[in-house]
Amino acid sequence: MGWRAGAAGLVPALGLLLAACRPAPPAEAPPAAASAPPAAVLRLQPGDWVEARPRELVRSLDVAGPLQAVDTALVKARLAGELLRLEVREGDAVRAGQVIGRIDDRDSRLRLRQAEEQAGQAAAQLQIAETTLESNRALVGQGFISRNALDTSVANAAAARAALQAARAAADLARRQLEDAVLRAPIGGQVSQRLAQPGERLALDARVVEIVDLRRIEAVVAVPPQALPELKLGAPAVLQVEGLPQPLPARLARLNPSADPATRSAVAYLALAPHPALRHGLFVNGRIELARETAFALPLSALRTDRSPPRVLWIEGDRVVEAQVKTGRRGHEGAAGGEPLVEIVEGLPPAPVGAPLRVLAGSVGGVREATPVRFEAAPAAASAPQNAAGAR
């Protein structure tokens, strides 16, 4: 009995041991990895790429400032008194020498009359002194008066003559003051400001009217000291005037020899051709041409500056290649108002023989390197930026 009971206890233990030694079933193989989808083709239309090549790079200086007429004048009161009338208003055209107003001249007329009366009195005194002198000359020869008495007569006649000249000068001065009561336009042009009204009491040198001549007009702009060595008289410029849709050509006419002590900048004067829309005081922005050079460049818009250093996306065969570049000078193409350009110093290969070196324009947007491209002659239904977005 004891042996059977022990054998019966060994059977379960043996089963557990055999189960542990049995090999495990093979694990289920993982699903095969999905293959990467092929990159979408970037379809390029005309305007989606630019050409990197040697170009004429025009370096220029950005400037801004007001317009002013070359010839301006302020009509001032050269005589204190009441303004009787003023015959012009803002916008009226005037001629040089034209009478535009009058100041009350009653006091001046009285002063002129007084000066003329004094001149007449001095003339009478001179006549008496000269008659006395002639009589004394005859008497001294006859021995009736002394030589000293004759010298006194000569001095009296000289004093009377000087008094007459002074009286006549005073009369001329009073006559000129009377003429100053008439206000005349010193230059031809248009009235820009009317600074006094009839009935107003004017002090000496009070401003009455401002006149501007718009036949010659120029822009007054500040130039930094570092740009002064490159500025040349006659240099072309392009200015954008407030209110005008198209920029206007200009040229560097003058350069102030003095610099502002606070900003160290000098003032340049840019002459513009007459234009009916130009007005004294309008503000302008523009560029002055400094130099023209030939450089390997491309449009600034094709330079991608979202990361440092800057880079460009160029096309090698039928693929997009990303290249980090080193840039140099900046300017504009062909003229101071042309397309902005940037010089590429390093990073791009030379252009293939007989073919352009194409660079993706900035309007295409972000594109991954090695994206395949295809050039299309006619515009497709989808725009290039949409194709580029799908190629990411």
mmCIF file of all heavy atoms in Angstrom, residues 20 29 54 77 81 175 189 191 216 243-244 260 291 328 349 366 383:
data_model
loop_
_atom_site.group_PDB
_atom_site.id
_atom_site.type_symbol
_atom_site.label_atom_id
_atom_site.label_comp_id
_atom_site.label_asym_id
_atom_site.label_seq_id
_atom_site.Cartn_x
_atom_site.Cartn_y
_atom_site.Cartn_z
ATOM 1 N N ALA A 20 6.882 21.306 -19.360
ATOM 2 C CA ALA A 20 7.862 22.401 -19.337
ATOM 3 C C ALA A 20 8.919 22.211 -20.395
ATOM 4 O O ALA A 20 9.453 23.177 -20.930
ATOM 5 C CB ALA A 20 8.483 22.505 -17.943
ATOM 6 N N ALA A 29 4.673 35.997 -37.006
ATOM 7 C CA ALA A 29 5.572 36.990 -37.638
ATOM 8 C C ALA A 29 4.864 38.349 -37.749
ATOM 9 O O ALA A 29 3.680 38.415 -38.084
ATOM 10 C CB ALA A 29 5.995 36.535 -39.032
ATOM 11 N N PRO A 54 25.757 85.719 -64.098
ATOM 12 C CA PRO A 54 26.336 87.066 -63.971
ATOM 13 C C PRO A 54 25.325 88.125 -64.421
ATOM 14 O O PRO A 54 24.717 88.019 -65.477
ATOM 15 C CB PRO A 54 27.555 87.019 -64.894
ATOM 16 C CG PRO A 54 27.889 85.564 -65.026
ATOM 17 C CD PRO A 54 26.573 84.845 -64.956
ATOM 18 N N ALA A 77 6.747 142.890 -44.652
ATOM 19 C CA ALA A 77 6.437 144.318 -44.535
ATOM 20 C C ALA A 77 7.729 145.069 -44.232
ATOM 21 O O ALA A 77 8.335 144.883 -43.170
ATOM 22 C CB ALA A 77 5.417 144.546 -43.430
ATOM 23 N N GLY A 81 2.837 149.420 -40.309
ATOM 24 C CA GLY A 81 1.582 150.110 -40.554
ATOM 25 C C GLY A 81 0.440 149.130 -40.779
ATOM 26 O O GLY A 81 0.621 147.906 -40.766
ATOM 27 N N ARG A 175 11.207 159.009 -49.348
ATOM 28 C CA ARG A 175 10.553 158.628 -50.607
ATOM 29 C C ARG A 175 10.609 157.102 -50.798
ATOM 30 O O ARG A 175 9.645 156.481 -51.260
ATOM 31 C CB ARG A 175 11.239 159.347 -51.758
ATOM 32 C CG ARG A 175 10.486 159.320 -53.071
ATOM 33 C CD ARG A 175 11.159 160.209 -54.093
ATOM 34 N NE ARG A 175 11.063 161.630 -53.720
ATOM 35 C CZ ARG A 175 12.097 162.350 -53.299
ATOM 36 N NH1 ARG A 175 13.309 161.793 -53.191
ATOM 37 N NH2 ARG A 175 11.939 163.625 -52.987
ATOM 38 N N GLY A 189 5.556 132.857 -59.602
ATOM 39 C CA GLY A 189 5.216 131.545 -59.057
ATOM 40 C C GLY A 189 3.781 131.508 -58.592
ATOM 41 O O GLY A 189 2.901 132.138 -59.177
ATOM 42 N N VAL A 191 1.203 131.534 -54.950
ATOM 43 C CA VAL A 191 1.108 131.854 -53.527
ATOM 44 C C VAL A 191 0.837 130.564 -52.759
ATOM 45 O O VAL A 191 -0.140 129.861 -53.030
ATOM 46 C CB VAL A 191 -0.013 132.885 -53.272
ATOM 47 C CG1 VAL A 191 -0.182 133.141 -51.780
ATOM 48 C CG2 VAL A 191 0.275 134.175 -54.014
ATOM 49 N N ARG A 216 10.968 124.627 -60.890
ATOM 50 C CA ARG A 216 12.177 123.908 -60.479
ATOM 51 C C ARG A 216 11.930 123.390 -59.074
ATOM 52 O O ARG A 216 11.720 124.172 -58.145
ATOM 53 C CB ARG A 216 13.402 124.826 -60.498
ATOM 54 C CG ARG A 216 13.790 125.337 -61.878
ATOM 55 C CD ARG A 216 14.938 126.328 -61.766
ATOM 56 N NE ARG A 216 16.095 125.705 -61.148
ATOM 57 C CZ ARG A 216 17.068 126.390 -60.524
ATOM 58 N NH1 ARG A 216 16.988 127.709 -60.420
ATOM 59 N NH2 ARG A 216 18.096 125.767 -59.993
ATOM 60 N N GLY A 243 1.269 109.895 -53.495
ATOM 61 C CA GLY A 243 0.126 110.145 -54.354
ATOM 62 C C GLY A 243 0.332 109.786 -55.810
ATOM 63 O O GLY A 243 -0.630 109.798 -56.575
ATOM 64 N N LEU A 244 1.553 109.474 -56.225
ATOM 65 C CA LEU A 244 1.807 109.116 -57.615
ATOM 66 C C LEU A 244 1.999 107.607 -57.730
ATOM 67 O O LEU A 244 2.759 107.007 -56.959
ATOM 68 C CB LEU A 244 3.053 109.833 -58.142
ATOM 69 C CG LEU A 244 2.941 111.348 -58.312
ATOM 70 C CD1 LEU A 244 4.220 111.907 -58.915
ATOM 71 C CD2 LEU A 244 1.757 111.719 -59.182
ATOM 72 N N ASP A 260 25.452 117.730 -40.583
ATOM 73 C CA ASP A 260 24.713 118.047 -39.367
ATOM 74 C C ASP A 260 25.541 117.626 -38.158
ATOM 75 O O ASP A 260 25.972 116.474 -38.068
ATOM 76 C CB ASP A 260 23.366 117.305 -39.372
ATOM 77 C CG ASP A 260 22.486 117.707 -38.220
ATOM 78 O OD1 ASP A 260 22.778 117.308 -37.084
ATOM 79 O OD2 ASP A 260 21.501 118.436 -38.459
ATOM 80 N N ALA A 291 26.913 102.756 -57.740
ATOM 81 C CA ALA A 291 27.869 102.115 -58.651
ATOM 82 C C ALA A 291 27.155 101.008 -59.410
ATOM 83 O O ALA A 291 26.144 100.464 -58.955
ATOM 84 C CB ALA A 291 29.057 101.550 -57.881
ATOM 85 N N GLY A 328 27.048 88.126 -50.848
ATOM 86 C CA GLY A 328 27.920 89.305 -50.872
ATOM 87 C C GLY A 328 27.115 90.580 -51.021
ATOM 88 O O GLY A 328 26.196 90.853 -50.248
ATOM 89 N N PRO A 349 27.180 75.688 -57.852
ATOM 90 C CA PRO A 349 28.127 75.264 -58.887
ATOM 91 C C PRO A 349 28.045 76.207 -60.079
ATOM 92 O O PRO A 349 27.086 76.972 -60.227
ATOM 93 C CB PRO A 349 27.642 73.859 -59.243
ATOM 94 C CG PRO A 349 26.168 73.921 -58.999
ATOM 95 C CD PRO A 349 25.995 74.799 -57.795
ATOM 96 N N GLY A 366 8.315 75.951 -49.427
ATOM 97 C CA GLY A 366 9.234 74.936 -48.943
ATOM 98 C C GLY A 366 9.159 73.653 -49.750
ATOM 99 O O GLY A 366 8.078 73.128 -50.002
ATOM 100 N N SER A 383 -1.514 75.194 -58.901
ATOM 101 C CA SER A 383 -0.406 76.155 -58.914
ATOM 102 C C SER A 383 0.839 75.502 -58.362
ATOM 103 O O SER A 383 0.797 74.503 -57.669
ATOM 104 C CB SER A 383 -0.769 77.389 -58.084
ATOM 105 O OG SER A 383 -0.957 77.020 -56.739
#
